[in-house]
Amino acid sequence: MSKDIRIRKGLDIKLVGEAEKITVEATRSNINAIRPDDFHGIVPKVMAKLGTEVKAGEPLFHSKANDKLLFPSPVSGEVVEIVRGAKRKILAFKILADKEQQYKDFGVKNVGTMSGEEVKDHLLASGCWPFIKQRPYDVIADPSIEPKAIYVSAYATAPLAASYDYILQGKESALQAAVTALSKMTPGSVHVSAGDLSSSPFAKLTDIQLYSVSGPHPAGNVSVQIANIDPLNKGETVWVVTPQDLVIIGELLLTGKFNSERTIALVGSSVKTPKYYKTRIGAEVSTLVYDSGVKDENIRVISGDVLTGDNVKPDGHIGFYHNTVTVIPEGNDYEFFGWNKPIFNKISTSRALTFSWLFPNKKYELDTNTNGEHRAFVVTGNYEEVFPFDIYPLQLLKACVVNDLDAMEQLGMYEIAPEDFALTEFVCVSKQPHQQIVREGLDLMLKEIG
């Protein structure tokens, strides 16, 4: 039986360029890349050296802190480059993909007879463990800590986000295998939140607690749903998995193969024909972008959504956790006296000069211009308008800036992730990097408190 979660605070940023619900095969990517920076806090230890032939699912590297934590190749092929940066930091593993994919066989599993420890060992050995993140700290889950519950958000509210109801159609058997397996690793429940239950692929699944979520962004953020279902307290841990990663886990259990195939939404006002593409983790974004075509010459290609994604440039690669590629105009032009005239083509929570509040259903063609410059925090109260937590966002941000661990604990730092401050960053008149501030604060807490 489902329960209702209604979120009132937030802001829906309606943009031009939503993906049409048509799925096509993407041009095969010659090079697939895995970036260790996608796995926050992980220091990689190379396993597949330059020139190594790997199958899909075989490990490229493991965590230096835990050699059981493996990170697999999304495709079969040859490791043709290990990109290094300053101080020989590994930036990416690049694999020249085979035309015919070969998979490492991890064996078909009967989920119904497996114990929680067996599921855990299997996910670690197959490289699927990085799909499981934890709260607090928003890092890859510590396999030695038992979570009090597991959460899945199947309600996407970010700007131009891929529709889970659409991309998960026909994946019910894999989803069921995955949630059944995950349920064996927690004494609590697997909580799944969806939007329209009539079209959700989770509606008829067992071994889950299903919730109906409604409201503006960030209602789809899993931290918001945790806060409304069972808030996280100090000393407690929960795990978080995204629906598209559940499919990979489920297919591993049902077929014995690590299948990195993923349906990606190519969206944005600079895309000529926004639609869905079938490709693989780490594929070149150019195989999607230039197949569809772009309207503008000066563009920003983002792996992820416009609020939390990564700037990957046209020759970059799709992030390990992303199912959206967004293409919008680069905002490197400035309006003369733009601050001193009525504005009709931009979104704002303020009614001073912008008139977006008069057109609630209008879709906007925005670029990357921040429309201002970095300055000290200004107390305006606009953070609270879009922040649906029972937390003081400005005070928490200031506590992070000054590294006040006691204040961070008392103000609810355990409950949040950087993505939860994406909207406050968007409406910030001070142009402060909220997500970066929160990430650095969480890293400090993890280091000092653990």
Side-chain angles (χ1 to χ4, degrees), residues 30-106:
N30 291 323
I31 300 290
N32 288 62
I34 293 297
R35 299 183 304 150
D37 281 351
D38 285 345
F39 315 104
H40 188 77
I42 296 297
V43 177
K45 188 78 172 178
V46 177
M47 296 179 70
K49 297 180 180 179
L50 197 64
T52 302
E53 293 282 347
V54 294
K55 294 180 180 179
E58 289 186 339
L60 297 173
F61 62 95
H62 66 77
S63 170
K64 191 174 182 180
N66 183 354
D67 59 7
K68 291 184 177 180
L69 191 54
L70 306 177
F71 297 84
S73 172
V75 293
S76 65
E78 179 186 353
V79 180
V80 292
E81 187 178 3
I82 299 177
V83 184
R84 293 182 182 269
K87 299 183 180 178
R88 294 188 56 77
K89 176 184 177 181
I90 298 176
L91 302 180
F93 289 79
K94 292 188 175 182
I95 304 98
L96 179 63
D98 295 331
K99 291 183 179 180
E100 295 294 330
Q101 288 296 296
Q102 300 180 26
Y103 300 87
K104 182 177 180 180
D105 186 8
F106 293 100

Side-chain angles (χ1 to χ4, degrees), residues 6-12 216-219 221 223-225 227-228 349 381-398 400 408 411-428 434-435 438:
R6 293 185 176 87
I7 306 301
R8 303 192 185 281
K9 290 184 177 181
L11 176 66
D12 282 330
H217 187 63
N221 284 11
S223 300
V224 176
Q225 296 160 18
N228 281 270
T349 56
N382 60 348
Y383 299 166
E384 288 77 7
E385 295 175 7
V386 299
F387 194 70
F389 294 85
D390 189 19
I391 289 173
Y392 296 112
L394 178 60
Q395 288 83 343
L396 181 54
L397 287 167
K398 289 184 175 181
C400 292
M408 289 156 66
L411 289 167
M413 193 72 168
Y414 291 116
E415 298 185 51
I416 54 91
E419 65 177 13
D420 301 318
F421 281 79
L423 267 183
T424 63
E425 184 175 314
F426 177 76
V427 303
C428 180
H434 294 199
Q435 295 180 80
V438 171

Side-chain angles (χ1 to χ4, degrees), residues 157-177:
T157 57
L160 300 178
S163 168
Y164 284 128
D165 291 349
Y166 177 71
I167 64 177
L168 297 178
Q169 287 178 4
K171 304 291 186 180
E172 288 82 2
S173 58
L175 292 170
Q176 183 63 74

Side-chain angles (χ1 to χ4, degrees), residues 296-410:
D296 308 296
E297 292 184 5
N298 193 13
I299 58 174
R300 172 80 62 93
V301 180
I302 303 166
S303 179
D305 65 75
V306 291
L307 294 177
T308 63
D310 300 322
N311 179 7
V312 295
K313 303 187 185 307
D315 60 348
H317 297 264
I318 299 168
F320 190 82
Y321 296 103
H322 295 149
N323 65 354
T324 305
V325 172
T326 310
V327 187
I328 58 176
E330 189 68 69
N332 49 12
D333 58 321
Y334 300 94
E335 294 182 60
F336 187 63
F337 285 116
W339 52 271
N340 196 29
K341 60 183 179 181
I343 300 170
F344 293 90
N345 61 346
K346 295 175 184 175
I347 299 172
S348 175
T349 56
S350 169
R351 298 190 177 188
L353 289 173
T354 56
F355 292 88
S356 59
W357 57 277
L358 289 173
F359 311 100
N361 296 318
K362 179 180 178 180
K363 293 185 178 180
Y364 294 85
E365 189 170 337
L366 303 182
D367 56 30
T368 63
N369 200 321
T370 59
N371 301 299
E373 58 186 9
H374 184 274
R375 60 180 71 87
F377 277 112
V378 178
V379 181
T380 61
N382 60 348
Y383 299 166
E384 288 77 7
E385 295 175 7
V386 299
F387 194 70
F389 294 85
D390 189 19
I391 289 173
Y392 296 112
L394 178 60
Q395 288 83 343
L396 181 54
L397 287 167
K398 289 184 175 181
C400 292
V401 170
V402 299
N403 296 336
D404 188 339
L405 290 171
D406 290 338
M408 289 156 66
E409 277 192 321
Q410 295 166 8

Side-chain angles (χ1 to χ4, degrees), residues 227-333:
N228 281 270
I229 296 170
D230 187 9
L232 194 63
N233 298 310
K234 182 179 180 180
E236 296 177 335
T237 299
V238 298
W239 290 351
V240 173
V241 189
T242 60
Q244 74 269 23
D245 296 337
L246 280 179
V247 172
I248 295 177
I249 292 173
E251 290 186 351
L252 170 80
L253 295 165
L254 294 175
T255 67
K257 297 177 181 178
F258 179 88
N259 182 7
S260 67
E261 187 177 272
R262 183 164 286 175
T263 301
I264 301 290
L266 178 65
V267 298
S269 59
S270 291
V271 179
K272 288 183 178 178
T273 55
K275 54 181 174 284
Y276 290 84
Y277 286 86
K278 278 189 177 180
T279 185
R280 294 182 182 274
I281 291 173
E284 297 164 294
V285 296
S286 59
T287 59
L288 315 179
V289 173
Y290 295 115
D291 178 78
S292 175
V294 293
K295 301 175 184 177
D296 308 296
E297 292 184 5
N298 193 13
I299 58 174
R300 172 80 62 93
V301 180
I302 303 166
S303 179
D305 65 75
V306 291
L307 294 177
T308 63
D310 300 322
N311 179 7
V312 295
K313 303 187 185 307
D315 60 348
H317 297 264
I318 299 168
F320 190 82
Y321 296 103
H322 295 149
N323 65 354
T324 305
V325 172
T326 310
V327 187
I328 58 176
E330 189 68 69
N332 49 12
D333 58 321

Side-chain angles (χ1 to χ4, degrees), residues 132-158:
I132 305 174
K133 290 189 174 183
Q134 72 170 47
R135 297 286 193 279
Y137 308 127
D138 188 37
V139 293
I140 294 174
D142 184 344
S144 66
I145 299 176
E146 184 179 59
K148 74 168 185 176
I150 298 173
Y151 290 84
V152 179
S153 174
Y155 181 52
T157 57

Side-chain angles (χ1 to χ4, degrees), residues 1-4 191-192 197 202-203 205 208-212:
M1 183 177 179
S2 68
K3 301 177 183 178
D4 291 338
H191 301 281
V192 179
L197 297 185
F202 289 92
L205 300 192
I208 63 172
Q209 290 285 333
L210 187 61
Y211 301 83
S212 174

